[in-house]
mmCIF file of all heavy atoms in Angstrom:
data_model
loop_
_atom_site.group_PDB
_atom_site.id
_atom_site.type_symbol
_atom_site.label_atom_id
_atom_site.label_comp_id
_atom_site.label_asym_id
_atom_site.label_seq_id
_atom_site.Cartn_x
_atom_site.Cartn_y
_atom_site.Cartn_z
ATOM 1 N N LEU A 64 -0.492 6.260 12.357
ATOM 2 C CA LEU A 64 -1.941 6.103 12.397
ATOM 3 C C LEU A 64 -2.447 6.812 13.641
ATOM 4 O O LEU A 64 -2.159 6.395 14.768
ATOM 5 C CB LEU A 64 -2.314 4.621 12.450
ATOM 6 C CG LEU A 64 -2.608 3.893 11.141
ATOM 7 C CD1 LEU A 64 -2.880 2.421 11.420
ATOM 8 C CD2 LEU A 64 -3.795 4.508 10.422
ATOM 9 N N MET A 65 -3.202 7.893 13.452
ATOM 10 C CA MET A 65 -3.659 8.693 14.578
ATOM 11 C C MET A 65 -5.156 8.944 14.441
ATOM 12 O O MET A 65 -5.741 8.802 13.365
ATOM 13 C CB MET A 65 -2.879 10.004 14.660
ATOM 14 C CG MET A 65 -1.367 9.818 14.633
ATOM 15 S SD MET A 65 -0.421 11.326 14.901
ATOM 16 C CE MET A 65 -0.465 11.419 16.676
ATOM 17 N N GLY A 66 -5.767 9.356 15.543
ATOM 18 C CA GLY A 66 -7.203 9.610 15.572
ATOM 19 C C GLY A 66 -7.737 9.391 16.969
ATOM 20 O O GLY A 66 -7.005 8.957 17.877
ATOM 21 N N LEU A 67 -9.023 9.669 17.168
ATOM 22 C CA LEU A 67 -9.623 9.485 18.480
ATOM 23 C C LEU A 67 -9.794 8.002 18.794
ATOM 24 O O LEU A 67 -9.672 7.142 17.919
ATOM 25 C CB LEU A 67 -10.985 10.182 18.530
ATOM 26 C CG LEU A 67 -10.984 11.702 18.331
ATOM 27 C CD1 LEU A 67 -12.405 12.247 18.489
ATOM 28 C CD2 LEU A 67 -10.036 12.394 19.298
ATOM 29 N N ARG A 68 -10.091 7.714 20.038
ATOM 30 C CA ARG A 68 -10.329 6.334 20.470
ATOM 31 C C ARG A 68 -11.511 5.742 19.699
ATOM 32 O O ARG A 68 -12.477 6.417 19.385
ATOM 33 C CB ARG A 68 -10.622 6.275 21.972
ATOM 34 C CG ARG A 68 -9.439 6.656 22.844
ATOM 35 C CD ARG A 68 -9.840 6.701 24.305
ATOM 36 N NE ARG A 68 -10.279 5.396 24.782
ATOM 37 C CZ ARG A 68 -9.478 4.476 25.304
ATOM 38 N NH1 ARG A 68 -8.182 4.723 25.415
ATOM 39 N NH2 ARG A 68 -9.952 3.329 25.729
ATOM 40 N N ARG A 69 -11.382 4.457 19.384
ATOM 41 C CA ARG A 69 -12.420 3.674 18.721
ATOM 42 C C ARG A 69 -12.743 4.169 17.317
ATOM 43 O O ARG A 69 -13.829 3.890 16.783
ATOM 44 C CB ARG A 69 -13.717 3.641 19.554
ATOM 45 C CG ARG A 69 -13.544 3.328 21.013
ATOM 46 C CD ARG A 69 -12.821 2.034 21.253
ATOM 47 N NE ARG A 69 -13.473 0.874 20.672
ATOM 48 C CZ ARG A 69 -13.003 -0.374 20.694
ATOM 49 N NH1 ARG A 69 -11.815 -0.614 21.244
ATOM 50 N NH2 ARG A 69 -13.675 -1.353 20.152
ATOM 51 N N SER A 70 -11.817 4.891 16.709
ATOM 52 C CA SER A 70 -12.063 5.360 15.349
ATOM 53 C C SER A 70 -11.758 4.287 14.305
ATOM 54 O O SER A 70 -12.141 4.429 13.142
ATOM 55 C CB SER A 70 -11.244 6.621 15.059
ATOM 56 O OG SER A 70 -9.850 6.371 15.214
ATOM 57 N N GLY A 71 -11.035 3.229 14.707
ATOM 58 C CA GLY A 71 -10.775 2.115 13.797
ATOM 59 C C GLY A 71 -9.344 1.998 13.335
ATOM 60 O O GLY A 71 -9.054 1.283 12.374
ATOM 61 N N LYS A 72 -8.404 2.641 14.021
ATOM 62 C CA LYS A 72 -6.991 2.635 13.593
ATOM 63 C C LYS A 72 -6.399 1.233 13.629
ATOM 64 O O LYS A 72 -5.809 0.774 12.639
ATOM 65 C CB LYS A 72 -6.177 3.578 14.493
ATOM 66 C CG LYS A 72 -6.688 5.002 14.538
ATOM 67 C CD LYS A 72 -5.818 5.885 15.399
ATOM 68 C CE LYS A 72 -5.785 5.465 16.856
ATOM 69 N NZ LYS A 72 -7.119 5.559 17.498
ATOM 70 N N SER A 73 -6.528 0.553 14.750
ATOM 71 C CA SER A 73 -5.936 -0.781 14.882
ATOM 72 C C SER A 73 -6.600 -1.781 13.939
ATOM 73 O O SER A 73 -5.939 -2.673 13.403
ATOM 74 C CB SER A 73 -6.043 -1.265 16.330
ATOM 75 O OG SER A 73 -5.347 -0.405 17.207
ATOM 76 N N SER A 74 -7.899 -1.629 13.731
ATOM 77 C CA SER A 74 -8.604 -2.521 12.808
ATOM 78 C C SER A 74 -8.064 -2.379 11.392
ATOM 79 O O SER A 74 -7.880 -3.369 10.677
ATOM 80 C CB SER A 74 -10.109 -2.209 12.824
ATOM 81 O OG SER A 74 -10.655 -2.400 14.113
ATOM 82 N N ILE A 75 -7.805 -1.146 10.970
ATOM 83 C CA ILE A 75 -7.242 -0.910 9.643
ATOM 84 C C ILE A 75 -5.908 -1.620 9.498
ATOM 85 O O ILE A 75 -5.646 -2.318 8.511
ATOM 86 C CB ILE A 75 -7.085 0.603 9.399
ATOM 87 C CG1 ILE A 75 -8.449 1.271 9.257
ATOM 88 C CG2 ILE A 75 -6.225 0.871 8.161
ATOM 89 C CD1 ILE A 75 -8.392 2.782 9.205
ATOM 90 N N SER A 93 -9.064 -1.603 22.852
ATOM 91 C CA SER A 93 -8.635 -0.249 22.528
ATOM 92 C C SER A 93 -7.138 -0.104 22.791
ATOM 93 O O SER A 93 -6.615 -0.600 23.794
ATOM 94 C CB SER A 93 -9.419 0.760 23.360
ATOM 95 O OG SER A 93 -9.038 2.074 23.039
ATOM 96 N N THR A 94 -6.418 0.565 21.869
ATOM 97 C CA THR A 94 -4.972 0.761 22.014
ATOM 98 C C THR A 94 -4.693 1.741 23.145
ATOM 99 O O THR A 94 -5.268 2.826 23.189
ATOM 100 C CB THR A 94 -4.375 1.312 20.701
ATOM 101 O OG1 THR A 94 -4.694 0.415 19.637
ATOM 102 C CG2 THR A 94 -2.871 1.460 20.811
ATOM 103 N N ASP A 114 0.990 2.908 15.514
ATOM 104 C CA ASP A 114 -0.419 3.025 15.891
ATOM 105 C C ASP A 114 -0.496 3.764 17.224
ATOM 106 O O ASP A 114 -0.021 3.270 18.248
ATOM 107 C CB ASP A 114 -1.031 1.623 15.997
ATOM 108 C CG ASP A 114 -2.522 1.661 16.280
ATOM 109 O OD1 ASP A 114 -3.100 2.763 16.281
ATOM 110 O OD2 ASP A 114 -3.101 0.583 16.507
ATOM 111 N N PHE A 115 -1.086 4.957 17.202
ATOM 112 C CA PHE A 115 -1.132 5.797 18.392
ATOM 113 C C PHE A 115 -2.462 5.633 19.131
ATOM 114 O O PHE A 115 -3.517 5.524 18.487
ATOM 115 C CB PHE A 115 -0.972 7.282 18.009
ATOM 116 C CG PHE A 115 0.438 7.694 17.723
ATOM 117 C CD1 PHE A 115 1.078 7.274 16.570
ATOM 118 C CD2 PHE A 115 1.135 8.499 18.608
ATOM 119 C CE1 PHE A 115 2.370 7.657 16.296
ATOM 120 C CE2 PHE A 115 2.435 8.875 18.352
ATOM 121 C CZ PHE A 115 3.058 8.460 17.196
ATOM 122 N N PRO A 116 -2.439 5.638 20.449
ATOM 123 C CA PRO A 116 -3.701 5.649 21.191
ATOM 124 C C PRO A 116 -4.424 6.972 20.990
ATOM 125 O O PRO A 116 -3.802 7.997 20.703
ATOM 126 C CB PRO A 116 -3.255 5.462 22.644
ATOM 127 C CG PRO A 116 -1.847 5.955 22.685
ATOM 128 C CD PRO A 116 -1.266 5.648 21.332
ATOM 129 N N GLY A 117 -5.728 6.957 21.136
ATOM 130 C CA GLY A 117 -6.511 8.154 20.879
ATOM 131 C C GLY A 117 -6.299 9.271 21.870
ATOM 132 O O GLY A 117 -6.583 10.433 21.583
ATOM 133 N N ILE A 139 -1.558 9.454 8.830
ATOM 134 C CA ILE A 139 -2.946 9.114 8.524
ATOM 135 C C ILE A 139 -3.797 9.421 9.746
ATOM 136 O O ILE A 139 -3.571 8.858 10.818
ATOM 137 C CB ILE A 139 -3.082 7.630 8.146
ATOM 138 C CG1 ILE A 139 -2.239 7.305 6.919
ATOM 139 C CG2 ILE A 139 -4.540 7.275 7.897
ATOM 140 C CD1 ILE A 139 -2.209 5.824 6.575
ATOM 141 N N PHE A 140 -4.755 10.313 9.582
ATOM 142 C CA PHE A 140 -5.675 10.629 10.682
ATOM 143 C C PHE A 140 -7.023 10.011 10.354
ATOM 144 O O PHE A 140 -7.609 10.281 9.299
ATOM 145 C CB PHE A 140 -5.807 12.138 10.867
ATOM 146 C CG PHE A 140 -6.436 12.522 12.183
ATOM 147 C CD1 PHE A 140 -5.645 12.793 13.288
ATOM 148 C CD2 PHE A 140 -7.816 12.592 12.311
ATOM 149 C CE1 PHE A 140 -6.224 13.125 14.505
ATOM 150 C CE2 PHE A 140 -8.402 12.917 13.529
ATOM 151 C CZ PHE A 140 -7.615 13.195 14.624
ATOM 152 N N VAL A 141 -7.514 9.155 11.255
ATOM 153 C CA VAL A 141 -8.740 8.394 11.025
ATOM 154 C C VAL A 141 -9.900 9.072 11.758
ATOM 155 O O VAL A 141 -9.822 9.319 12.966
ATOM 156 C CB VAL A 141 -8.581 6.939 11.509
ATOM 157 C CG1 VAL A 141 -9.831 6.130 11.189
ATOM 158 C CG2 VAL A 141 -7.357 6.287 10.855
ATOM 159 N N ILE A 142 -10.957 9.368 11.021
ATOM 160 C CA ILE A 142 -12.157 9.979 11.582
ATOM 161 C C ILE A 142 -13.326 9.018 11.422
ATOM 162 O O ILE A 142 -13.587 8.514 10.323
ATOM 163 C CB ILE A 142 -12.489 11.316 10.878
ATOM 164 C CG1 ILE A 142 -11.370 12.343 11.125
ATOM 165 C CG2 ILE A 142 -13.819 11.873 11.355
ATOM 166 C CD1 ILE A 142 -11.601 13.672 10.433
ATOM 167 N N ASP A 143 -14.032 8.741 12.514
ATOM 168 C CA ASP A 143 -15.202 7.870 12.488
ATOM 169 C C ASP A 143 -16.368 8.642 11.888
ATOM 170 O O ASP A 143 -16.911 9.566 12.498
ATOM 171 C CB ASP A 143 -15.531 7.408 13.909
ATOM 172 C CG ASP A 143 -16.659 6.384 13.942
ATOM 173 O OD1 ASP A 143 -17.337 6.202 12.911
ATOM 174 O OD2 ASP A 143 -16.868 5.756 15.007
ATOM 175 N N ALA A 144 -16.780 8.258 10.670
ATOM 176 C CA ALA A 144 -17.846 8.977 9.975
ATOM 177 C C ALA A 144 -19.216 8.741 10.602
ATOM 178 O O ALA A 144 -20.150 9.509 10.353
ATOM 179 C CB ALA A 144 -17.873 8.564 8.501
ATOM 180 N N GLN A 145 -19.362 7.703 11.431
ATOM 181 C CA GLN A 145 -20.640 7.399 12.054
ATOM 182 C C GLN A 145 -20.795 8.072 13.412
ATOM 183 O O GLN A 145 -21.812 7.899 14.088
ATOM 184 C CB GLN A 145 -20.807 5.884 12.195
ATOM 185 C CG GLN A 145 -20.798 5.141 10.868
ATOM 186 C CD GLN A 145 -21.120 3.668 11.025
ATOM 187 O OE1 GLN A 145 -21.818 3.273 11.955
ATOM 188 N NE2 GLN A 145 -20.627 2.835 10.113
ATOM 189 N N ASP A 146 -19.779 8.832 13.821
ATOM 190 C CA ASP A 146 -19.798 9.495 15.121
ATOM 191 C C ASP A 146 -19.807 11.006 14.902
ATOM 192 O O ASP A 146 -19.570 11.504 13.794
ATOM 193 C CB ASP A 146 -18.567 9.067 15.928
ATOM 194 C CG ASP A 146 -18.726 9.358 17.408
ATOM 195 O OD1 ASP A 146 -19.816 9.807 17.808
ATOM 196 O OD2 ASP A 146 -17.763 9.151 18.164
ATOM 197 N N ALA A 151 -13.098 15.256 16.645
ATOM 198 C CA ALA A 151 -12.057 14.685 15.793
ATOM 199 C C ALA A 151 -11.425 15.749 14.909
ATOM 200 O O ALA A 151 -10.209 15.743 14.680
ATOM 201 C CB ALA A 151 -12.640 13.558 14.943
ATOM 202 N N PHE A 174 -8.513 9.606 6.624
ATOM 203 C CA PHE A 174 -9.407 8.497 6.302
ATOM 204 C C PHE A 174 -10.755 8.768 6.971
ATOM 205 O O PHE A 174 -10.863 8.738 8.206
ATOM 206 C CB PHE A 174 -8.846 7.171 6.814
ATOM 207 C CG PHE A 174 -7.719 6.617 5.986
ATOM 208 C CD1 PHE A 174 -7.149 7.342 4.946
ATOM 209 C CD2 PHE A 174 -7.197 5.352 6.257
ATOM 210 C CE1 PHE A 174 -6.108 6.833 4.194
ATOM 211 C CE2 PHE A 174 -6.155 4.826 5.507
ATOM 212 C CZ PHE A 174 -5.615 5.571 4.473
ATOM 213 N N ILE A 175 -11.779 9.059 6.184
ATOM 214 C CA ILE A 175 -13.140 9.186 6.704
ATOM 215 C C ILE A 175 -13.686 7.771 6.751
ATOM 216 O O ILE A 175 -14.123 7.209 5.742
ATOM 217 C CB ILE A 175 -13.972 10.111 5.799
ATOM 218 C CG1 ILE A 175 -13.282 11.476 5.678
ATOM 219 C CG2 ILE A 175 -15.381 10.282 6.350
ATOM 220 C CD1 ILE A 175 -13.911 12.401 4.649
ATOM 221 N N HIS A 176 -13.636 7.180 7.931
ATOM 222 C CA HIS A 176 -13.731 5.726 8.095
ATOM 223 C C HIS A 176 -15.135 5.294 8.530
ATOM 224 O O HIS A 176 -15.946 6.098 8.971
ATOM 225 C CB HIS A 176 -12.689 5.282 9.121
ATOM 226 C CG HIS A 176 -12.397 3.825 9.103
ATOM 227 N ND1 HIS A 176 -12.140 3.117 7.950
ATOM 228 C CD2 HIS A 176 -12.336 2.914 10.110
ATOM 229 C CE1 HIS A 176 -11.920 1.852 8.252
ATOM 230 N NE2 HIS A 176 -12.049 1.707 9.544
ATOM 231 N N LYS A 177 -15.378 3.993 8.382
ATOM 232 C CA LYS A 177 -16.640 3.345 8.748
ATOM 233 C C LYS A 177 -17.810 3.873 7.919
ATOM 234 O O LYS A 177 -18.931 4.022 8.426
ATOM 235 C CB LYS A 177 -16.930 3.508 10.250
ATOM 236 C CG LYS A 177 -15.845 2.960 11.163
ATOM 237 C CD LYS A 177 -16.213 3.102 12.627
ATOM 238 C CE LYS A 177 -15.100 2.614 13.538
ATOM 239 N NZ LYS A 177 -15.428 2.760 14.970
ATOM 240 N N VAL A 178 -17.564 4.129 6.640
ATOM 241 C CA VAL A 178 -18.627 4.650 5.779
ATOM 242 C C VAL A 178 -19.537 3.549 5.251
ATOM 243 O O VAL A 178 -20.493 3.836 4.517
ATOM 244 C CB VAL A 178 -18.035 5.453 4.597
ATOM 245 C CG1 VAL A 178 -17.285 6.666 5.092
ATOM 246 C CG2 VAL A 178 -17.129 4.569 3.736
ATOM 247 N N THR A 216 -13.344 5.321 3.552
ATOM 248 C CA THR A 216 -12.795 3.977 3.759
ATOM 249 C C THR A 216 -13.712 3.114 4.624
ATOM 250 O O THR A 216 -14.516 3.615 5.421
ATOM 251 C CB THR A 216 -11.410 4.037 4.435
ATOM 252 O OG1 THR A 216 -11.525 4.680 5.719
ATOM 253 C CG2 THR A 216 -10.423 4.806 3.576
ATOM 254 N N SER A 217 -13.554 1.827 4.448
ATOM 255 C CA SER A 217 -14.223 0.829 5.266
ATOM 256 C C SER A 217 -13.406 -0.447 5.202
ATOM 257 O O SER A 217 -12.838 -0.773 4.157
ATOM 258 C CB SER A 217 -15.649 0.566 4.760
ATOM 259 O OG SER A 217 -16.204 -0.576 5.413
ATOM 260 N N ILE A 218 -13.346 -1.187 6.315
ATOM 261 C CA ILE A 218 -12.620 -2.457 6.314
ATOM 262 C C ILE A 218 -13.469 -3.578 5.724
ATOM 263 O O ILE A 218 -12.975 -4.698 5.543
ATOM 264 C CB ILE A 218 -12.157 -2.856 7.730
ATOM 265 C CG1 ILE A 218 -13.357 -2.972 8.679
ATOM 266 C CG2 ILE A 218 -11.129 -1.863 8.258
ATOM 267 C CD1 ILE A 218 -12.997 -3.513 10.058
ATOM 268 N N ILE A 223 -10.432 0.422 1.803
ATOM 269 C CA ILE A 223 -9.291 0.664 2.695
ATOM 270 C C ILE A 223 -7.983 0.283 2.000
ATOM 271 O O ILE A 223 -6.951 0.933 2.178
ATOM 272 C CB ILE A 223 -9.458 -0.100 4.036
ATOM 273 C CG1 ILE A 223 -8.392 0.339 5.035
ATOM 274 C CG2 ILE A 223 -9.424 -1.608 3.825
ATOM 275 C CD1 ILE A 223 -8.436 1.792 5.397
#
Side-chain angles (χ1 to χ4, degrees):
L64 266 177
M65 309 186 82
L67 298 183
R68 293 175 62 89
R69 313 304 301 177
S70 59
K72 304 182 297 297
S73 299
S74 299
I75 291 172
S93 181
T94 303
D114 184 6
F115 282 72
I139 300 174
F140 195 93
V141 183
I142 296 178
D143 186 348
Q145 299 186 28
D146 198 5
F174 284 7
I175 303 172
H176 197 48
K177 302 182 183 179
V178 297
T216 60
S217 170
I218 58 174
I223 189 61

